[in-house]
Amino acid sequence: MQLDQVLVDAAIAQAERRWPAGESGGAAAVYLDDGRILTSVGLDNLNGGVSLCHETGAICQAYTLDKKITASVCVYRDRERVLILPPCGICQERLALWGPDVQVTVPNVTGWIARTLREVNPFYWGSQFTGDGTWPAPEAHFS
């Protein structure tokens, strides 16, 4: 599945379900290769060290289901607007399990655009371990 407004809207709807109007909060949504959408939110905790990115729950659920993620979006709603967030470095690493063609949102002046992980991170460190400089195959993550 390609990243589209349906996926963005699913993330926004999850944030709105979790946090009432007037509260700040974020959420994420991912497409699986079978077309399903998984959503999740991050943990809020007094100890910031145990907090998790909004994408983590959906990523772990996809992995548990042994399904491939094809696209991911993360949103944050402050009191007045919804921000589209590109994946942080940790989530880029988590999504790399499914390869360089996973699509993610990147904000732009008109809202957002879709980019692949390869485009977001053209100098991915894992490519140094492949011998030929290509993005590591998903199987490489299991060794």
Side-chain angles (χ1 to χ4, degrees):
M1 293 293 302
Q2 299 289 314
L3 204 155
D4 59 12
Q5 191 63 46
V6 171
L7 192 64
V8 173
D9 290 344
I12 293 169
Q14 177 60 58
E16 290 173 349
R17 280 191 299 275
R18 175 61 182 85
W19 286 278
E23 285 190 37
S24 298
V30 301
Y31 267 132
L32 302 180
D33 59 354
D34 64 7
R36 284 188 284 171
I37 294 175
L38 303 177
T39 62
S40 58
V41 298
L43 294 175
D44 289 330
N45 194 289
L46 183 61
N47 178 348
V50 299
S51 295
L52 295 172
C53 298
H54 301 303
E55 299 98 327
T56 306
I59 289 170
C60 289
Q61 188 176 4
Y63 190 79
T64 298
L65 295 170
D66 195 24
K67 293 294 182 182
K68 180 180 178 168
I69 291 177
T70 61
S72 176
V73 61
C74 184
V75 301
Y76 183 79
R77 187 192 70 205
D78 67 15
R79 290 183 174 87
E80 294 116 32
R81 62 196 170 141
V82 173
L83 304 173
I84 304 295
L85 304 176
C88 72
I90 293 169
C91 285
Q92 287 182 46
E93 195 64 40
R94 291 172 178 146
L95 292 167
L97 177 65
W98 290 283
D101 296 322
V102 173
Q103 292 184 327
V104 297
T105 49
V106 177
N108 72 0
V109 294
T110 62
W112 63 269
I113 54 174
R115 291 289 183 251
T116 64
L117 285 177
R118 183 187 318 275
E119 291 171 317
V120 172
N121 191 350
F123 303 104
Y124 181 53
W125 69 272
S127 299
Q128 297 305 306
F129 295 94
T130 63
D132 62 359
T134 59
W135 195 283
E139 298 79 29
H141 293 271
F142 303 118
S143 57

